[in-house]
Amino acid sequence: MTRFALRYLLRRLVVAYATLLVVMTLLFVLLRAMPGSFVSAMTTPGMTTAQTARLEAAWGVHDPLWMQYLRFLLNYQTGNFGWSPTMHAPVAAVLARRLPRTLVLFGAAFLACYAVGPLVGMVLGWYRDARGGTLALALSLFVYATPVFWVAWLLVWLLDHRLGWLPSAHMVTQFPAFDVAPLPVALDFLRHLALPLLSVAAVGWVGATLLVRPAMRDAARSDYVDLARAKGLRERTVLFKHAGRNALLPVTTSAALALAFLVDGAVVTETVFSWPGMGRLIVTAVLDRDYPLAQAAFFLVAVVVVVARLGLDVAYTYLDPRLSFGGRER
Amino acid sequence: MTDRAPNDGSRASNDAAGAAPAPATRASSRTRRALTRLLRTPLALLGTAVLAVVTCCALAPDLVAPHDPGWVAYVGTGDGRLTLAQSRSLPHPPAFGDPFFAPLGTTAAGHGVLTELVYGARTALLVGLAAALLSSLVGVPLGLASGYYGGWVDEGIQRVVDVLYGVPFLPFVVVLVAMRGASTTNVVLAIAATAWLNNCVVVRGTTLSLVERTYVDAARAAGLPTHRLVARHVLPDVLPVAAVLLVQDAATAILAHATLAYLGLADVTTASWGAMLQRVQATGHVFDAPWWLLPPGLAIASLVAAFYYLGHALSDVTEVD
Amino acid sequence: MLLRVDSLTVRYRTPDRNGDVRALTDASVSVEHGETYGLLGESGSGKTTLARALVGLLDDAGEVRGGHAWFDAVPPAWTDADGTPRADVVSDDTPVRADGTTDLLALPDAHLRDLRWAEIALVPQRAMGALDPAYTVGAQIREAVRRHHPDADAGRRARDALTRLGLRAARAEDHPHVLSGGERQRVVLAMALACDPALLVVDEPTTGLDAVARDRLLDDLASLDAAVLLVSHDLAALAETADRLAVLHDGRVVETGPTEAVLGDPASDHTAALRDAWRAGGGAWD
């Protein structure tokens, strides 16, 4: 079992590393495949020839391609992401400041979606032939079909403009310097977190629901549910403890998809709410043609996704006792 | 599905030996049965209805829309100019009769919201179908090969898929589109470049379960050439799965396109619902012009939901998930 | 008398309404305390329908159209402290009689659920695949005990039941997938025994077992104190274990009586045919 565990973990690690290599290569190729030199995209008309030459030298565009590629790989794996021309700061420093903010939003949204979504999916899957079942499914799918940013606008309109309950921009209020105490700042942060979180979660929970629902149908037809009923267990116990628990398994395997959805949602939501995180950074960096920053930000998001998937893989093996780290995987 | 299995076995081994072309009739009668069941599903009917309306708009926007796209409130389609007072009153809520008639109100530029909505249908449908077809054309054959041949083919394809799954979708599309230019074609390509992964994985799974069935084994033992075997015994069962994936991909693509448009990364010169929303924001009317904000969002949601509904109804009648 | 089924009729609805299928017509059987009663029939004869109708677990299309199933127990919610039925529920309009019997078919769902497994335990078909893969064997047994006997020491009962069926008590900590088919089958039986029901309804228990596991299981069933309603198409198994036998054919009870009498001198052609087929395969009983 331990050997399986090790081999499985090792395989996942290799895949994770390969993913990051591919992402790096992709970034390298994309930048070089741009029409014209990518350096010329960063130059401004006012620059002198010497300045342009310095920029070109700094990027090493005159070196052979393979050398540029190797240097790129090496730099990225040692955390050397270069200098951001628009932020006038090392890219690594910018990222280090931005990443935690996104992780907070991501993490909270992930938890919110996965607290609600699977439960709804269990109920929908259990009562799929009931009268209200189709209607509930239709409504969930409609919610899932709405653009996140549009939902965010509607929520802002309702909760900020109409009711004035929650702030709708930035991460914290600018406090006067003498008024900074930990508790008010934390509360203020939470209040600012609420709307972006709500926006992502308002749409995101359906993803988990849609994964659980079909699994629940299979569970409802299963022999263990039949036995659980024969044991005289209450319907609620049969639903959540037996059918539900088993229907959760496919969710963890496909949670990678949901994760992707959340990344997308975070990119958009951060833009809507001026949340100073990674997603917004990618968009602004791309629009400002700050390529070193855009590349590195993208790379970092990929790292986060890959690490989270690794974690989910491990979680799956704990959830399903039949499967000890891929031991009986089929 | 289960009640069919024994029949399939015997029949398939018959025609593997050169008897009547049973799978064709099997597939077509099943298609007919599935279609009749589909027409009884409320979700499918709703989806089809929405899709029909959108298709009409996309095919003949000039017949559906109240004005042509060049129409501007107060001045109509002529060369007239807006007075300062008139342009200040824009965007205008729905108003009937004089001075103009725009059923859903106007945008800040004086165009009719309904007119823009109708003309945007074509882009949405085009993006959805093109991206879906493209990702199916890549994903389905690769999934078939992966599941049918197994071995190193499977290993190779699945490792590639595994690795690409780690690439965050929207950031990737953002980077791609920004670097290659924000044309609709590029957006479609970018969406398809990631959407085929899921198709490949799902089709592989279906193919694997089919290949393990006895009638495929029997056909193989009888020496049926690979392409005929796949076409006769595997493809008929993979197609419903592929159809479900197709509509789901279309839905995803439309949403992704709208999102890109919002981020300013879609072609704003072609009329599209995403571009409409982007203009609502760019002109600063998100919170004071609901007649302008709501229709494009609802249109996107309705079309995407229609595809979801069709996908779910399809997977219900064909018993795939 | 532990259970008396009176002219039970069940039909299955089909989507096109007029094609309803009658699975059982006027079926009557009765089971005494402690005996092993065999229900013999081919697949489709309605024997599983009968077993599942008793505990209210027909699938959605199934519908009881008539009959009674008088069972010698009263739902706990309807009894006084001393176990006798409460005076206010005993009447001709309720499923409870003064002699302490209840009509299972007329019981409301919630009360029937209280009786399931506590008094009448249905061990369903394919029981060896019916354990929940997500929980340990012990947890599933304890769950059943706690449901019906909240005050009992569930852990001890679970271990006792396992050892009574020849399984090590430590097996309780295993997940179902590491057990063999025969072991899982016995775990399900143990799960039933742990709640100490008066009647075990066992549906096709020998399917999928090898010869050794099968013999072992039949011995276990025969040695129980509880009455057993053994539903099977396996004539040999019933001949070995059943005290009495009912033969079902096409939804009707064609014959009942002591096993030896039924098999020795079948009253119906159908039973005779079944018996001859069995004898031709070398079967006999002693």
Side-chain angles (χ1 to χ4, degrees), chain B residues 249-317:
Chain B
D249 286 345
T252 323
I254 294 167
L255 265 183
H257 179 257
T259 306
L260 286 173
Y262 159 72
L263 293 174
L265 290 165
D267 185 0
V268 284
T269 53
T270 35
S272 81
W273 297 334
M276 281 177 79
L277 287 174
Q278 198 265 336
R279 278 197 293 274
V280 178
Q281 194 211 17
T283 53
H285 289 291
V286 172
F287 302 116
D288 56 19
W291 65 89
W292 188 11
L293 175 74
L294 292 179
L298 285 175
I300 294 168
S302 306
L303 182 57
V304 172
F307 278 117
Y308 283 154
Y309 292 166
L310 278 179
H312 266 262
L314 263 177
S315 67
D316 266 355
V317 298

Side-chain angles (χ1 to χ4, degrees), chain B residues 135-164:
Chain B
S135 48
S136 291
L137 281 179
V138 179
V140 171
L142 283 179
L144 266 176
S146 191
Y148 186 80
Y149 289 110
W152 62 267
V153 177
D154 182 35
E155 192 66 22
I157 295 177
Q158 288 318 305
R159 285 299 82 79
V160 170
V161 169
D162 247 8
V163 163
L164 288 184

Side-chain angles (χ1 to χ4, degrees), chain C residues 15-87:
Chain C
D16 51 355
R17 282 282 151 209
N18 43 16
D20 285 5
V21 181
R22 275 204 166 191
L24 268 182
T25 312
D26 286 332
S28 303
V29 275
S30 61
V31 182
E32 299 289 343
H33 278 280
E35 77 169 334
T36 300
Y37 194 98
L39 206 56
L40 175 68
E42 299 147 304
S43 35
S45 62
K47 54 190 196 308
T48 295
T49 302
L50 195 154
R52 297 187 68 96
L54 291 180
V55 288
L57 285 176
L58 288 174
D59 66 37
D60 291 342
E63 198 177 20
V64 174
R65 302 292 287 174
H68 302 278
W70 296 104
F71 183 67
D72 189 11
V74 178
W78 284 350
T79 53
D80 290 325
D82 60 349
T84 53
R86 256 171 31 204

Side-chain angles (χ1 to χ4, degrees), chain B residues 2-38:
Chain B
T2 43
D3 57 339
R4 246 184 32 234
N7 279 341
D8 283 353
S10 57
R11 214 187 288 161
S13 47
N14 275 344
D15 66 61
T25 46
R26 172 170 65 108
S28 73
S29 79
R30 199 186 337 152
T31 314
R32 213 177 314 125
R33 228 179 324 136
L35 274 180
T36 33
R37 292 234 315 269
L38 199 61

Side-chain angles (χ1 to χ4, degrees), chain A residues 223-227 229-235 237 240-243 245-246 319-323 328, chain C residues 52 57 113-114 116-117 122 124 126 129-135 140 143-144 147-148 175 177 188 191:
Chain A
D223 287 337
Y224 59 79
V225 160
D226 192 36
L227 182 64
R229 284 215 180 98
K231 275 156 81 174
L233 299 180
R234 291 185 178 85
E235 197 68 1
T237 317
F240 291 112
K241 188 173 169 189
H242 291 282
R245 163 75 197 263
N246 281 283
L319 262 177
D320 189 351
R322 282 167 299 185
L323 217 162
R328 295 190 180 197
Chain C
R52 297 187 68 96
L57 285 176
R113 213 173 284 148
D114 288 341
R116 269 185 219 154
W117 216 259
L122 171 79
R126 303 181 298 270
L131 291 167
D132 190 324
Y135 299 95
Q140 295 183 59
E143 181 187 34
R147 163 71 177 91
H148 299 292
H175 282 281
H177 69 276
V188 178
M191 199 182 282

Side-chain angles (χ1 to χ4, degrees), chain B residues 110-200:
Chain B
H111 300 301
V113 169
L114 184 59
T115 309
E116 284 200 352
L117 210 58
V118 170
Y119 278 88
R122 185 176 289 175
T123 311
L125 218 50
L126 204 68
V127 166
L129 293 181
L133 277 176
L134 212 57
S135 48
S136 291
L137 281 179
V138 179
V140 171
L142 283 179
L144 266 176
S146 191
Y148 186 80
Y149 289 110
W152 62 267
V153 177
D154 182 35
E155 192 66 22
I157 295 177
Q158 288 318 305
R159 285 299 82 79
V160 170
V161 169
D162 247 8
V163 163
L164 288 184
Y165 251 133
V167 181
F169 169 67
L170 194 58
F172 171 71
V173 177
V174 167
V175 171
L176 201 65
V177 167
M179 289 177 171
R180 307 292 302 162
S183 73
T184 306
T185 317
N186 280 345
V187 171
V188 167
L189 282 177
I191 294 170
T194 47
W196 69 272
L197 294 172
N198 188 40
N199 299 5
C200 181

